């Protein structure tokens, strides 16, 4: 409360976060939405990547293997989805050394379920992998505005994500008409997540169309140039206000 009272400017990543700040007592006029932005040029190679000739449907998960990412729910959902869509493969791309015990439990869960085609790559350059994916997935129990979703959009890949942070806004849009860029599910809902995997696996044109929707949404407001310009405006505003205050002090 004191921080909001004495702050000249308060920033947040997305609209719902602003609404929460207002509920906590921050005056609306102090808040400026400052969305994340990425360098989409890093992912040009993903747009040019040729899919493998086999009919495998690749799901990519770019994350660190940690409880907050709820990788166990992802694995369980994949095991169910695999029964209906046998050509599915799950690529879990990210470090496993931050939460070693949890990562060990995830590895053991794959063995326990006897599910095939779960690949743990470790930490990788995602630009070398996203082009090979058909969709990406995020089953977190908490997020802000995930960069991994924006990176998926840059590669024209649809996203399955849990309804946390700004995932809903990124995937379904906030005041734009680009259309759905994936599917939102409830947290820890194995059945819903598995159904979303099967849905996109079985409908090629749907997932391609959603990937294009995400790409258009990204280009409209989530580029690093947009983010930089937003912050430039904030700094210019304070610079101008400082000049005004300086002139008043000279009088």
């Amino acid at each position: 409360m004191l921080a909001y009272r004495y702050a000249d400017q308060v920033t947040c990543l997305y609209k719902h976060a602003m609404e929460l700040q207002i509920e906590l007592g921050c005056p609306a006029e102090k808040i400026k939405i400052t969305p994340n932005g990425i360098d989409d040029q890093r992912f040009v190679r993903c747009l040019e990547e040729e899919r493998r000739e086999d009919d495998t449907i690749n799901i990519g998960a770019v994350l660190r293997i940690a409880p907050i990412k709820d990788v166990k729910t992802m694995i369980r959902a994949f095991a169910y989805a695999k029964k209906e869509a046998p050509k599915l493969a799950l690529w879990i791309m990210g470090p496993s050394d931050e939460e070693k015990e949890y990562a060990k439990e995830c590895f053991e869960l794959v063995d326990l379920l006897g599910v095939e085609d779960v690949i743990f790559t470790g930490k990788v350059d995602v630009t070398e992998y996203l082009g090979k994916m058909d969709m990406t997935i995020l089953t977190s129990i908490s997020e802000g505005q995930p960069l991994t979703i924006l990176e998926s959009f840059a590669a024209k890949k649809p996203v399955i994500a849990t309804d946390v942070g700004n995932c809903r806004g990124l995937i379904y849009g906030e005041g734009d008409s680009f259309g759905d860029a994936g599917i939102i599910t409830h947290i820890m809902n194995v059945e819903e997540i598995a159904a979303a995997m099967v849905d996109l696996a079985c409908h090629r044109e749907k997932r391609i169309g959603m990937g294009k929707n995400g790409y258009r949404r990204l280009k409209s407001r989530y580029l690093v140039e947009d983010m930089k310009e937003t912050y430039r405006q904030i700094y210019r505003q304070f610079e101008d206000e400082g000049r005004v205050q300086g002139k008043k002090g000279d009088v």
Side-chain angles (χ1 to χ4, degrees):
M1 294 290 290
L2 286 174
Y4 288 150
R5 181 184 302 173
Y6 291 106
D8 293 303
Q9 180 86 71
V10 177
T11 64
C12 61
L13 291 172
Y14 51 95
K15 183 179 178 182
H16 184 56
M18 179 184 75
E19 293 168 350
L20 293 175
Q21 288 174 327
I22 292 171
E23 287 181 14
L24 291 171
C26 184
E29 62 272 14
K30 287 187 176 183
I31 304 172
K32 186 173 184 63
I33 297 176
T34 56
N36 281 328
I38 66 166
D39 178 8
D40 63 320
Q41 295 305 304
R42 287 183 57 225
F43 298 88
V44 169
R45 63 185 295 183
C46 300
L47 301 177
E48 300 169 347
E49 186 87 42
E50 290 187 12
R51 286 284 289 110
R52 293 185 302 177
E53 305 226 343
D54 63 26
D55 54 357
T56 303
I57 305 297
N58 293 307
I59 306 174
V62 181
L63 45 76
R64 56 190 174 86
I65 302 177
I68 199 168
K69 301 299 183 180
D70 198 11
V71 181
K72 291 182 182 179
T73 289
M74 182 189 300
I75 292 169
R76 292 189 181 99
F78 177 76
Y80 281 107
K82 182 82 168 167
K83 295 176 182 178
E84 292 190 49
K87 295 297 183 180
L88 280 172
L90 176 62
W91 297 73
I92 299 177
M93 297 172 273
S96 60
D97 55 354
E98 294 183 22
E99 300 276 356
K100 292 182 180 179
E101 185 59 33
Y102 182 78
K104 180 173 177 287
E105 292 170 2
C106 290
F107 302 151
E108 291 173 346
L109 180 60
V110 172
D111 293 335
L112 179 65
L113 295 174
V115 60
E116 297 180 347
D117 300 317
V118 178
I119 303 100
F120 292 93
T121 68
K123 187 175 182 180
V124 296
D125 179 352
V126 295
T127 65
E128 295 180 3
Y129 284 79
L130 277 182
K132 301 179 179 71
M133 299 298 115
D134 294 283
M135 67 190 90
T136 66
I137 187 166
L138 190 66
T139 53
S140 302
I141 58 176
S142 179
E143 285 286 351
Q145 191 177 67
L147 293 177
T148 182
I149 293 182
L150 299 180
E151 291 172 346
S152 296
F153 288 173
K156 292 188 179 179
K157 307 301 177 183
V159 182
I160 298 168
T162 43
D163 196 2
V164 293
N166 192 218
C167 293
R168 176 175 291 274
L170 292 177
I171 290 175
Y172 292 154
E174 294 176 304
D176 64 49
S177 59
F178 298 118
D180 297 350
I183 299 174
I184 287 290
T185 72
H186 288 94
I187 299 170
M188 301 182 74
N189 193 313
V190 171
E191 184 177 344
E192 278 189 17
I193 296 166
M197 291 180 183
V198 173
D199 185 6
L200 292 188
C202 294
H203 298 94
R204 181 177 183 274
E205 293 305 318
K206 180 177 183 177
R207 65 176 184 262
I208 290 174
M210 285 181 164
K212 291 178 179 178
N213 293 343
Y215 184 74
R216 288 192 288 265
R217 181 164 294 129
L218 170 79
K219 299 286 275 188
S220 72
R221 64 175 303 200
Y222 297 107
L223 299 180
V224 67
E225 292 84 0
D226 301 319
M227 182 178 70
K228 288 178 179 178
E229 181 55 32
T230 299
Y231 281 101
R232 285 193 194 101
Q233 290 174 7
I234 292 173
Y235 297 144
R236 286 174 188 144
Q237 175 188 335
F238 281 104
E239 182 182 21
D240 292 343
E241 289 176 356
R243 287 172 179 167
V244 171
Q245 292 297 325
K247 289 180 179 179
K248 288 182 179 179
D250 291 339
V251 174

